[in-house]
Amino acid sequence: MTDTRRRVKLYALNADRQWDDRGTGHVSSQYVDRLKGISLHVRAESDGTILLESKIQPDTAYQKQQDTLIVWSEGDNFDLALSFQEKAGCDEIWEKICQVQGKDPSVEITQDIVEESEDERFDEMSDSAPPIDLPPCELSRLEEINEVVSSCLTSPMRKEKLAVAIENDGYIRKLLNLFHMCEDLDNTEGLHYLYEVFKNIFLLNKNALFEVMFGDESIFDVVGCLEYDPSTPTPKKHREYLKELARFKEVIPITNADLLAKIHQTYRVQYIQDVVLPTPSVFEDNMLSTLSSFIFFNKVEIVTLVQEDEKFLTELFGFLTDESTEETKRRDLVLFLKEFCNFSQNLQPQGKENFYKTLTSLGILSALEITLTSDDPQTKSASIDILTYIVEFNPSFVRDYTLQQANSTDEDQMLLNVVIDQMICDTDTELGGAVQLMGVLRILLDPENMMASINKSEKTDFLNYFYKHSVNILIGPLLTNTLSDWPAKEDYQTVQLLGLILELLSFCVEHHTYHIKNCILSKDLLRRILVLMKSTHTFLVLCALRFMRKIIALKDEFYNRYIIKGNLFAPVIDAFIRNNGRYNLLDSAILEMFEFIKLEDIKTLCIHVVENFSKVLDDIDYVQTFKSLKMRYDQHLDKIKDRDRPSLDSVPSILRNSRYRRDQRQLEEEEELWFNDEEEFDEGDSVVPGPDPDILGKKLDPDLNSTLAKLVEKKNETNPGKLSTSPSKAMNNNMNMSNSVSSSPLNASPSEKSSLFKKGLVDYEGDSDDEDEEDGNGDLLTPVHKRARLS
């Protein structure tokens, strides 16, 4: 049944101050790596798309209204609301928000009410308070102007009044005119004052002032003012960089003038934020958030304008996939596309979904098949970034595309195989691209993000595709490097690559069950991987050991039998001996693996290790792991002996004194335990106490001997072939138990023990039915493995 507690409607406040319904879905709070924090996550109930992904900021004011409504603001002009179907779900999310912000969930608003009321009071006072009079904009008054601007920063009301005065008086333009005069006169003191003035204007945190300063006619002069930092002996050269060194390349001519202007403005403002302004610690956080919002909305507008220009994008992808395109032009196209995808990260989930659907329909994945194999490092690196953007947002786009290639494309040209091949062939000494591509493959192979797909067979289809067409390419370097008993190559780049492959295979063992099992068993993959235990690179040895540890963690008997049959603990024990007791990660990892076998009581592996390696491991005394493993082995053998040893209950009831009689229900329960060979008993105990050797001698009188002998003779006449022991011999064997110590099961030879443990008073061969049967004469036949019932 669907959980309705977390069912919500998402609303957003539009420009007309009306709430727009953004969809119905289910909300959760979870940690998002990309956002580096706990976030509110709303997934649509109709198609599983992401409606909202909002990080819970420590200083955002969240408000709970009417028990089922949570309202907050994203940025300056973007208000959101979650309307819950049930109060319980609202309370759960509210507690999570309060926990992140360190607030008491009993409050109705997470921000200090006093601060909010002060802000409201400032707004109310703003109309009645006297306006700020700015000094005349003259060179001789620069020091006074700087003092006035600085003094207003201490009060929110005065900051508001100062911003209004600067905007209404056109003061920024006047200050920039003074800047030109100071530069012409080499007035260093005046330039230093102007630096302080403009730095403080940024602190006013007003979008209207940013619009003026970042206009085409003003932005370079503003950058010029910020070059004259009093703390540096010589001015910076930011304007020179922006005008001459930073050149905008139009790989495809942009005919939309507004789009072109917005691209230039966004680049320059981003440069001001990242390079020109002092480090963020010097400024207040609210200034940075407003400047970031300005850039954010610019990027959203750029993405929207480009996405709406179908002719531009069609032409772009046409050049990308054209074989005749020059490599330099292709590189510029890919770099533009990477920047385009980077800007799309500012879109809301629904907008981002439409963005990637547009790119996919235009053929971005087929273009990446070409650009990923480029010899140009920049082209290849940018292509990997683009693929990462797509896969991180929605891996199903790539999975669906690869499944469509299954019957129409050669294996070496399939996108998934191109990705694997580029990971294997990465020429970077640090394998930066290979690491990134391994992360992409891990996301694609993760069943967890396949579950919410509309296509319910996506998991089965894609994993079948991968293990049929791609896994051989992935494990190729492993198999090539382990043809003999020692690794073929030990150079740094090779072992780094093998480590990445082993990490991905370990992930597959943990999540793919029978697909990877078939691969391991059919290709004897674990044996080949354990060759790497002889590597001189300890981290690669640990990777191989981790792979085996993942297999053992499954406690799968197919894997266990495979390990035992191949004696695959031998390479691990050899590495352990070579380590010679050094206290390091390898020593700890091997000990932990055997400790796991002991704690989880994996009997088959425990028996194998003790019986084959006890001579070596018995000498290890600085930990108790192997002694405990041997003790667990002995306990297991004792349980087997106790289970096979004839107990008192195997004696017919007429031979027992009345004090040994049991309740019928108890007898049936013990009988069930007796026949279950796989049952585990408590250590050191058996279900039924073993027989006293003297009991039979004491209890069997001559009359009973005669009665039993006649019974056996009668059985022999009816089914002579079923008797394995003569009546007299059976009687003598049982009687001699009280007279001869050497006939005791504890003192018998192994063959005698086995024989003795399996024989009852009368042993019928080939009878294994669970139910008692009667022969044609109505005599009761007793199976060898059940206690006789004689009345």
Side-chain angles (χ1 to χ4, degrees):
M1 183 177 178
T2 306
D3 184 7
T4 58
R5 289 182 308 159
R6 298 289 185 89
R7 191 167 183 264
V8 295
K9 272 189 175 293
L10 175 65
Y11 294 93
L13 197 65
N14 60 28
D16 298 327
R17 308 303 293 172
Q18 300 294 322
W19 290 102
D20 291 336
D21 185 355
R22 293 296 182 89
T24 302
H26 290 81
V27 64
S28 62
S29 58
Q30 57 192 34
Y31 183 85
V32 177
D33 287 334
R34 180 173 56 81
L35 300 178
K36 305 298 182 187
I38 303 295
S39 303
L40 296 177
H41 194 85
V42 179
R43 190 175 290 275
E45 67 176 9
S46 58
D47 56 5
T49 57
I50 299 174
L51 298 180
L52 175 70
E53 196 173 66
S54 171
K55 181 180 177 181
I56 301 175
Q57 301 288 353
D59 54 353
T60 297
Y62 291 87
Q63 188 171 4
K64 186 167 74 165
Q65 302 174 3
Q66 303 171 6
D67 290 335
T68 57
L69 195 66
I70 296 178
V71 183
W72 75 98
S73 296
E74 294 265 2
D76 283 344
N77 302 310
F78 193 69
D79 293 347
L80 295 171
L82 289 176
S83 177
F84 289 78
Q85 181 172 331
E86 295 183 15
K87 179 179 181 296
C90 183
D91 291 340
E92 288 176 7
I93 296 299
W94 182 252
E95 287 179 8
K96 192 65 179 180
I97 293 172
C98 292
Q99 179 184 344
V100 173
Q101 294 196 341
K103 302 291 184 180
D104 186 346
S106 62
V107 301
E108 296 295 327
I109 185 169
T110 60
Q111 291 301 304
D112 192 350
I113 297 175
V114 175
E115 292 181 3
E116 289 295 318
S117 62
E118 286 178 355
D119 289 341
E120 293 172 3
R121 187 169 65 249
F122 290 142
D123 291 339
E124 293 172 0
M125 293 173 60
S126 60
D127 293 333
S128 58
I132 292 177
D133 292 328
L134 290 169
C137 204
E138 300 173 358
L139 285 178
S140 58
R141 311 290 291 270
L142 275 175
E143 182 177 4
E144 183 182 352
I145 293 171
N146 183 37
E147 290 178 356
V148 170
V149 173
S150 300
S151 64
C152 291
L153 296 178
T154 57
S155 166
M157 182 183 66
R158 290 179 62 79
K159 283 174 64 176
E160 184 71 28
K161 288 294 183 181
L162 177 62
V164 171
I166 291 175
E167 182 181 1
N168 292 340
D169 294 348
Y171 211 68
I172 289 177
R173 189 68 259 169
K174 296 176 182 178
L175 288 172
L176 293 179
N177 289 334
L178 288 184
F179 167 71
H180 288 295
M181 294 173 62
C182 288
E183 274 203 321
D184 293 339
L185 298 172
D186 291 330
N187 185 348
T188 304
E189 185 180 12
L191 291 171
H192 287 170
Y193 282 132
L194 284 168
Y195 171 88
E196 295 292 342
V197 169
F198 274 95
K199 187 187 75 171
N200 290 332
I201 289 176
F202 273 94
L203 288 173
L204 294 178
N205 204 16
K206 288 300 174 183
N207 204 59
L209 299 182
F210 289 158
E211 292 285 355
V212 176
M213 289 192 292
F214 298 151
D216 287 342
E217 69 282 356
S218 304
I219 189 166
F220 283 106
D221 291 339
V222 172
V223 171
C225 291
L226 295 174
E227 289 179 350
Y228 293 93
D229 185 351
S231 63
T232 58
T234 57
K236 305 292 184 182
K237 297 184 178 181
H238 299 307
R239 285 173 293 176
E240 180 181 338
Y241 175 81
L242 288 173
K243 289 180 179 179
E244 299 177 11
L245 300 179
R247 295 182 178 180
F248 177 69
K249 293 182 179 180
E250 286 188 77
V251 288
I252 296 175
I254 298 176
T255 57
N256 188 330
D258 293 337
L259 172 60
L260 196 59
K262 192 65 68 175
I263 290 173
H264 286 307
Q265 184 190 60
T266 304
Y267 175 79
R268 292 161 185 165
V269 176
Q270 187 85 61
Y271 181 83
I272 290 173
Q273 183 188 47
D274 296 341
V275 180
V276 178
L277 291 176
T279 55
S281 59
V282 177
F283 292 92
E284 296 177 2
D285 290 339
N286 60 352
M287 184 284 297
L288 294 175
S289 66
T290 304
L291 193 57
S292 297
S293 296
F294 184 92
I295 297 171
F296 169 86
F297 287 112
N298 268 18
K299 289 180 177 180
V300 170
E301 189 174 351
I302 290 171
V303 172
T304 304
L305 290 172
V306 173
Q307 192 174 345
E308 290 173 352
D309 193 342
E310 293 184 5
K311 181 181 178 182
F312 177 85
L313 288 176
T314 303
E315 191 176 353
L316 184 147
F317 284 105
F319 280 117
L320 269 179
T321 54
D322 189 349
E323 294 181 359
S324 62
T325 303
E326 295 180 0
E327 194 60 39
T328 53
K329 184 175 180 65
R330 196 189 307 277
R331 178 184 61 208
D332 292 338
L333 289 167
V334 173
L335 290 174
F336 172 84
L337 194 57
K338 173 193 169 182
E339 196 72 13
F340 188 40
C341 291
N342 184 31
F343 280 15
S344 74
Q345 302 307 301
N346 298 290
L347 297 174
Q348 287 296 310
Q350 190 60 48
K352 202 182 297 184
E353 179 87 10
N354 295 332
F355 171 81
Y356 284 115
K357 281 183 177 178
T358 301
L359 294 188
T360 303
S361 65
L362 290 170
I364 188 172
L365 295 176
S366 58
L368 288 176
E369 290 175 1
I370 299 172
T371 58
L372 280 169
T373 59
S374 173
D375 294 330
D376 182 73
Q378 281 186 287
T379 303
K380 181 179 293 188
S381 176
S383 300
I384 294 173
D385 288 337
I386 295 169
L387 181 62
T388 303
Y389 283 135
I390 298 172
V391 170
E392 285 183 345
F393 176 72
N394 193 339
S396 292
F397 286 154
V398 179
R399 293 195 196 105
D400 293 342
Y401 176 78
T402 53
L403 289 175
Q404 293 169 12
Q405 294 182 309
N407 300 317
S408 61
T409 310
D410 294 337
E411 280 197 356
D412 58 344
Q413 295 178 353
M414 294 176 177
L415 176 60
L416 192 62
N417 292 347
V418 169
V419 170
I420 296 173
D421 188 58
Q422 292 306 308
M423 183 184 86
I424 293 171
C425 301
D426 189 6
T427 56
D428 181 14
T429 54
E430 297 297 328
L431 296 183
V435 172
Q436 198 171 350
L437 288 173
M438 195 276 289
V440 168
L441 288 171
R442 183 167 179 152
I443 295 173
L444 290 175
L445 293 170
D446 188 356
E448 293 297 325
N449 59 49
M450 300 180 191
M451 303 305 291
S453 173
I454 301 173
N455 180 8
K456 295 182 180 179
S457 64
E458 180 185 31
K459 178 178 178 180
T460 302
D461 292 345
F462 185 76
L463 292 182
N464 287 339
Y465 172 92
F466 173 75
Y467 283 97
K468 180 179 179 181
H469 298 287
S470 305
V471 75
N472 290 334
I473 301 174
L474 179 65
I475 65 176
L478 269 174
L479 300 180
T480 303
N481 210 48
T482 55
L483 291 173
S484 63
D485 293 337
W486 289 85
K489 291 183 178 180
E490 285 281 79
D491 60 281
Y492 179 74
Q493 193 165 353
T494 299
V495 297
Q496 283 283 90
L497 175 62
L498 295 181
L500 289 176
I501 295 173
L502 283 175
E503 184 178 344
L504 193 59
L505 288 176
S506 298
F507 176 84
C508 293
V509 166
E510 188 174 0
H511 293 89
H512 290 178
T513 59
Y514 70 92
H515 288 94
I516 188 68
K517 183 193 296 184
N518 292 337
C519 177
I520 292 172
L521 299 181
S522 63
K523 300 181 185 301
D524 200 12
L525 192 57
L526 179 56
R527 178 190 299 279
R528 302 291 285 274
I529 287 174
L530 290 177
V531 171
L532 301 177
M533 295 291 291
K534 297 178 181 179
S535 173
T536 56
H537 298 269
T538 305
F539 82 90
L540 186 60
V541 177
L542 288 167
C543 286
L545 183 66
R546 188 183 304 117
F547 180 78
M548 186 176 187
R549 176 66 175 79
K550 290 285 186 183
I551 290 177
I552 292 175
L554 297 176
K555 296 186 284 187
D556 187 317
E557 280 304 312
F558 281 101
Y559 279 132
N560 294 345
R561 286 196 291 270
Y562 166 63
I563 292 171
I564 292 170
K565 184 177 179 181
N567 194 27
L568 299 184
F569 276 110
V572 178
I573 300 297
D574 289 343
F576 187 63
I577 294 171
R578 287 196 304 272
N579 193 55
N580 200 25
R582 286 192 292 273
Y583 184 62
N584 54 19
L585 188 56
L586 177 61
D587 183 78
S588 299
I590 294 176
L591 289 175
E592 190 277 335
M593 185 168 71
F594 288 111
E595 189 73 21
F596 177 83
I597 294 172
K598 182 201 74 175
L599 292 175
E600 295 297 326
D601 196 18
I602 307 176
K603 294 182 177 61
T604 52
L605 297 184
C606 175
I607 292 171
H608 173 73
V609 170
V610 173
E611 290 182 349
N612 290 273
F613 304 104
S614 58
K615 289 183 179 179
V616 176
L617 301 178
D618 284 348
D619 296 332
I620 308 298
D621 56 3
Y622 61 91
V623 291
Q624 297 300 310
T625 299
F626 300 111
K627 290 183 179 179
S628 300
L629 203 61
K630 181 67 164 58
M631 187 181 302
R632 184 61 60 93
Y633 170 79
D634 292 338
Q635 290 170 351
H636 182 60
L637 289 187
D638 290 342
K639 282 191 280 187
I640 295 176
K641 291 176 183 178
D642 290 343
R643 193 166 55 196
D644 291 342
R645 183 183 296 122
S647 69
L648 183 61
D649 284 349
S650 65
V651 181
S653 59
I654 61 171
L655 303 183
R656 284 184 276 155
N657 191 291
S658 60
R659 63 195 178 102
Y660 287 102
R661 289 190 178 273
R662 309 277 181 91
D663 178 78
Q664 183 63 29
R665 183 176 57 187
Q666 182 182 0
L667 182 64
E668 291 175 357
E669 291 174 354
E670 292 174 357
E671 199 169 43
E672 289 296 317
L673 288 173
W674 180 267
F675 296 131
N676 187 0
D677 288 340
E678 297 300 322
E679 187 64 38
E680 297 182 15
F681 307 122
D682 293 337
E683 296 179 6
D685 295 333
S686 60
V687 176
V688 182
D692 183 348
D694 294 334
I695 288 177
L696 295 177
K698 293 177 181 177
K699 299 300 179 184
L700 293 180
D701 58 22
D703 292 337
L704 287 177
N705 287 346
S706 176
T707 302
L708 187 58
K710 290 178 181 179
L711 178 63
V712 174
E713 287 175 1
K714 189 173 182 179
K715 299 284 184 184
N716 192 22
E717 291 173 2
T718 306
N719 293 302
K722 289 191 175 182
L723 287 176
S724 61
T725 306
S726 67
S728 60
K729 186 176 180 179
M731 296 298 299
N732 290 334
N733 282 344
N734 285 285
M735 293 297 296
N736 287 339
M737 289 176 65
S738 61
N739 300 322
S740 174
V741 176
S742 63
S743 65
S744 168
L746 298 177
N747 297 313
S749 66
S751 61
E752 290 172 337
K753 283 183 182 180
S754 175
S755 162
L756 186 59
F757 287 158
K758 292 180 179 178
K759 287 185 178 180
L761 291 176
V762 181
D763 190 3
Y764 295 95
E765 296 179 353
D767 194 348
S768 60
D769 294 339
D770 289 337
E771 298 297 329
D772 297 335
E773 298 177 358
E774 293 185 357
D775 64 348
N777 298 322
D779 292 326
L780 190 65
L781 300 180
T782 307
V784 64
H785 62 286
K786 294 188 68 173
R787 296 188 294 276
R789 294 181 181 176
L790 299 179
S791 57

